[in-house]
Amino acid sequence: MIRDELHLKAPGNWMNDPNGFIFFRGKYHLFYQYFPYGPMWGTMHWGHAVSGDLVRWEHRDIALFPTKGYDRNGIFSGSALEKDGKLYLYYSAVRYLEEDAENIHYAPRDRYETSQAVLVSEDGMQFDNWEGKRQIIPVSREPEISDAVHTRDPKVWEEDGTYYMILGSTWKEKTGRAVFYRSVDGINWEYANQLRDSQFGRILECPDIFRVGEDYIFLGSPMYVGRNEPGYQHHAVCARAEFDKADCRLKLLTDCRYIDYGQDLYAVQTNVDEAGRRVMAAWMRMPEPVQAADRNPWIGMMCQPRVVELVDGHIFFRVHPNVENYFQRETEEREGLPQAACRIQAALSEGESLEIGGFRIWVENDAVWTDRSRVFAGLKGHKLVSATPKLSGRYGLDIYVTPNLIEVFVNQGEYVISSVVYGLGSGLQGRINKVYLHS
């Protein structure tokens, strides 16, 4: 059985969006978009991993796979809900209207349609893909309500006895929109409301809305919002929000900003952990597969779990306490690192820099900058230099390093820069305060 620590990685082949992230019957469950036949995007299944602490993960068998006419071409992203002691897995079901004869995993010209479905599991470990599924929201035939193709990624939650669903969608592929449904039993749903917003790009994916204290926070992944620079055109964003449960009216109170300024991070989903903290998982996009001794070539991983907090109106993404506790052994070693996973603490001043195996971090013009050009193995067409917004003179760094991912938490999660890397060397240079290894 394949196991991962710190970051859940594809168990071979392809991984993307986190799905069904939940604490259920004493275990964390994280499902994910999975193509089991090769390290490339294809007909989606749901992979499945479980953890007791959000740090050590054990991969299980494939949980969801196509069996119905409405989901024959993909089990797309969705969420999980505990109800009556059972695990309800909500997902977007895809059926192609046109097929490429040379590649059945691809729909030419986006000729497909999407509906919403649920699979109910009695114990969260066994999944009846033959009798346990049910289509709950058919393909939309009313464009003013939602789009027949691009309406997906149901996030479902219960509040005060009512069930709510937010879906990502589009209006004529010009403006992204969030679409809301409501239910009294989690099975029978009625349309409630929607929000179209230019900040949702042309298509909104993976929307999530939740309360932190008395405030609501919106997270989502709008498509086609990239700037005129190398890299991805689809990005994960956050904003403070208002949500009126009576009529499912969503209002953004602040402009959307990036969740992660490295911009490899996409497709976020949150969950409440066993201590009641709001925790986020997200997909780290990777341009090339990685060869590994313990699994087939793999591509795609998750970031480490991050606690979402609101402080003086600013959304923080902090290191989860379980990750901090994973690194307890302080070391004076510098030359051999970071070939093993490590945590590095530093506090830079304007003009100062440090280097981690060829990955450079520095402070310039009141922002923290990173440069991965020396550790990205010559890959072209991707963002290599990243920076935070201005920081008002505070530059505390908590840096988590593994062979294929570096996560830089600035000022205890005020901003984060995460960077996929491929050619990380050894050695640490610069004014580093402390280095910790797993004990």
Side-chain angles (χ1 to χ4, degrees):
M1 187 167 291
I2 295 175
R3 293 178 172 84
D4 289 319
E5 296 191 359
L6 292 179
H7 303 113
L8 184 68
K9 301 180 293 189
N13 305 310
W14 171 275
M15 167 194 281
N16 60 295
D17 304 8
N19 300 149
F21 186 29
I22 192 170
F23 184 70
F24 177 74
R25 295 193 181 184
K27 291 282 188 182
Y28 294 98
H29 294 254
L30 183 53
F31 302 84
Y32 52 88
Q33 294 285 272
Y34 182 47
F35 184 60
Y37 309 123
M40 73 283 292
W41 190 94
T43 301
M44 284 296 118
H45 299 48
W46 275 25
H48 181 204
V50 297
S51 174
D53 60 3
L54 291 170
V55 176
R56 300 164 181 85
W57 293 94
E58 181 180 275
H59 287 271
R60 311 293 295 186
D61 293 337
I62 291 172
L64 274 63
F65 54 86
T67 57
K68 305 296 183 182
Y70 54 80
D71 71 11
R72 64 180 297 150
N73 298 110
I75 310 292
F76 277 38
S77 291
S79 58
L81 178 77
E82 181 175 359
K83 181 177 182 291
D84 301 326
K86 301 175 184 179
L87 189 62
Y88 283 58
L89 300 177
Y90 296 90
Y91 67 94
S92 290
V94 170
R95 183 175 75 89
Y96 290 171
L97 303 177
E98 183 178 342
E99 198 171 81
D100 184 338
E102 298 300 317
N103 182 358
I104 63 171
H105 301 291
Y106 172 68
R109 298 180 294 162
D110 276 351
R111 292 269 298 147
Y112 64 90
E113 58 184 20
T114 308
S115 60
Q116 314 310 318
V118 65
L119 183 149
V120 180
S121 170
E122 295 287 335
D123 61 2
M125 300 300 288
Q126 300 177 78
F127 308 93
D128 185 351
N129 283 270
W130 309 99
E131 302 295 334
K133 291 177 178 175
R134 179 173 175 176
Q135 188 182 49
I136 52 174
I137 300 177
V139 177
S140 174
R141 305 302 180 194
E142 300 181 59
E144 290 303 308
I145 290 180
S146 61
D147 187 79
V149 179
H150 300 295
T151 299
R152 52 182 172 263
D153 310 337
K155 177 62 188 289
V156 177
W157 76 99
E158 181 272 333
E159 206 168 336
D160 299 329
T162 299
Y163 297 89
Y164 301 89
M165 177 189 294
I166 181 173
L167 289 154
S169 188
T170 183
W171 182 72
K172 299 182 178 181
E173 296 190 42
K174 296 179 179 179
T175 305
R177 57 178 163 177
V179 177
F180 289 93
Y181 283 78
R182 186 167 41 205
S183 171
V184 296
D185 60 6
I187 295 293
N188 298 287
W189 295 85
E190 62 177 7
Y191 169 75
N193 213 331
Q194 65 180 268
L195 173 64
R196 303 176 190 175
D197 195 304
S198 61
Q199 295 188 91
F200 294 163
R202 285 159 42 189
I203 303 170
L204 178 64
E205 295 192 305
C206 303
D208 195 350
I209 182 169
F210 51 87
R211 288 176 61 176
V212 174
E214 297 302 314
D215 297 284
Y216 280 99
I217 293 175
F218 168 82
L219 307 182
S221 295
M223 302 180 71
Y224 306 104
V225 292
R227 298 168 182 162
N228 295 322
E229 59 186 5
Y232 302 105
Q233 295 300 298
H234 319 320
H235 296 290
V237 301
C238 63
R240 290 178 53 219
E242 282 182 355
F243 181 66
D244 187 337
K245 293 180 295 183
D247 60 2
C248 291
R249 180 176 52 83
L250 174 66
K251 178 182 179 181
L252 301 185
L253 299 179
T254 58
D255 290 341
C256 290
R257 69 166 178 88
Y258 291 135
I259 290 173
D260 191 295
Y261 286 80
Q263 299 180 31
D264 289 340
L265 183 146
Y266 191 71
V268 299
Q269 187 168 111
T270 69
N271 159 50
V272 177
D273 72 5
E274 59 183 322
R277 292 174 288 241
R278 178 62 58 167
V279 180
M280 185 195 81
W283 171 42
M284 299 305 304
R285 298 176 284 198
M286 304 173 68
E288 289 189 351
V290 175
Q291 303 294 321
D294 64 338
R295 66 195 76 192
N296 290 333
W298 62 274
I299 183 169
M301 70 174 87
M302 301 297 171
C303 70
Q304 62 171 268
R306 302 178 185 180
V307 178
V308 186
E309 295 183 357
L310 189 64
V311 180
D312 295 330
H314 183 84
I315 303 169
F316 281 69
F317 296 93
R318 302 191 191 274
V319 178
H320 194 280
N322 292 358
V323 176
E324 291 182 328
N325 293 337
Y326 181 85
F327 293 98
Q328 290 292 312
R329 180 164 62 89
E330 189 173 353
T331 179
E332 297 297 323
E333 179 63 43
R334 295 292 188 272
E335 291 301 320
L337 297 176
Q339 296 305 299
C342 62
R343 174 189 183 189
I344 300 167
Q345 292 181 319
L348 300 181
S349 299
E350 182 77 30
E352 291 187 322
S353 67
L354 59 87
E355 191 170 298
I356 304 168
F359 182 87
R360 185 166 175 255
I361 305 172
W362 74 99
V363 175
E364 180 182 339
N365 293 331
D366 196 36
V368 170
W369 295 72
T370 66
D371 183 352
R372 62 175 172 177
S373 57
R374 292 175 55 193
V375 294
F376 209 54
L379 298 171
K380 304 297 183 183
H382 291 272
K383 187 176 178 65
L384 300 177
V385 177
S386 300
T388 66
K390 291 188 179 299
L391 296 164
S392 301
R394 297 176 57 249
Y395 317 114
L397 306 179
D398 201 358
I399 308 161
Y400 290 79
V401 184
T402 58
N404 289 109
L405 183 60
I406 299 177
E407 295 166 284
V408 182
F409 292 80
V410 181
N411 297 335
Q412 298 182 317
E414 180 182 4
Y415 298 107
V416 188
I417 299 177
S418 299
S419 302
V420 168
V421 296
Y422 281 86
L424 194 64
S426 61
L428 308 178
Q429 299 177 7
R431 188 160 65 85
I432 293 168
N433 295 343
K434 293 182 180 180
V435 178
Y436 296 92
L437 304 176
H438 174 47
S439 57

